[in-house]
Amino acid sequence: MAATYRIAEAAALLGVSDDTVRRWIDSGRLPASRDGGGPAVVDGADLARVAAEMHEPPAPGVTRSSSARNRLTGIVTRVVRDTVMAQVEIQAGPFRVVSLMSREAADELGLEVGVRAVATVKATQVSVDVP
């Protein structure tokens, strides 16, 4: 089942306002649908595409005024699997996080493009959880 997000959820994952997401929907930058007249939802793969397009990596040593702490919530933008390992890329606001894990772990978590995920950073290890 494909992941979908309401406008407020999409805005939070992208680090923009709800109104910005609505403008992107109205302009066609971000496709959305309404199922049975309900609230507008955005497909996770479309959200991942926009997330990857909109955030350039920050300059070395430059951070925003808020601290990311050690948990970075974002959206999966790429998953590469082989027979043993998986490489998972998450766009968490302006930060691109890449994690290497077993293929089994990626499969068990259901990590696919468009899925919301949380990267937990501890020392030199990045652990990915699904909220």
Side-chain angles (χ1 to χ4, degrees):
M1 185 170 138
T4 59
Y5 300 95
R6 290 184 169 195
I7 288 174
E9 293 172 319
L13 288 169
L14 296 174
V16 298
S17 71
D18 296 7
D19 288 336
T20 297
V21 172
R22 286 187 192 93
R23 282 192 296 274
W24 289 345
I25 291 169
D26 291 343
S27 72
R29 179 178 182 189
L30 183 61
S33 62
R34 290 184 189 274
D35 196 18
V41 294
V42 177
D43 180 73
D46 291 326
L47 190 62
R49 177 187 50 79
V50 170
E53 290 173 358
M54 70 181 280
H55 288 295
E56 293 294 323
V62 175
T63 60
R64 291 187 174 199
S65 59
S66 65
S67 172
R69 307 249 181 226
N70 65 343
R71 293 179 54 84
L72 303 168
T73 301
I75 188 164
V76 176
T77 57
R78 185 170 184 238
V79 179
V80 178
R81 289 177 168 90
D82 66 16
T83 57
V84 177
M85 297 298 292
Q87 176 180 321
V88 179
E89 295 182 20
I90 299 171
Q91 190 70 43
F95 304 102
R96 178 177 159 261
V97 180
V98 179
S99 178
L100 298 177
M101 65 183 69
S102 71
R103 180 192 176 113
E104 181 180 10
D107 291 346
E108 286 178 5
L109 289 170
L111 295 174
E112 298 292 341
V113 171
V115 170
R116 181 189 338 229
V118 179
T120 304
V121 180
K122 176 101 172 139
T124 59
Q125 174 189 354
V126 176
S127 172
V128 177
D129 304 314
V130 177

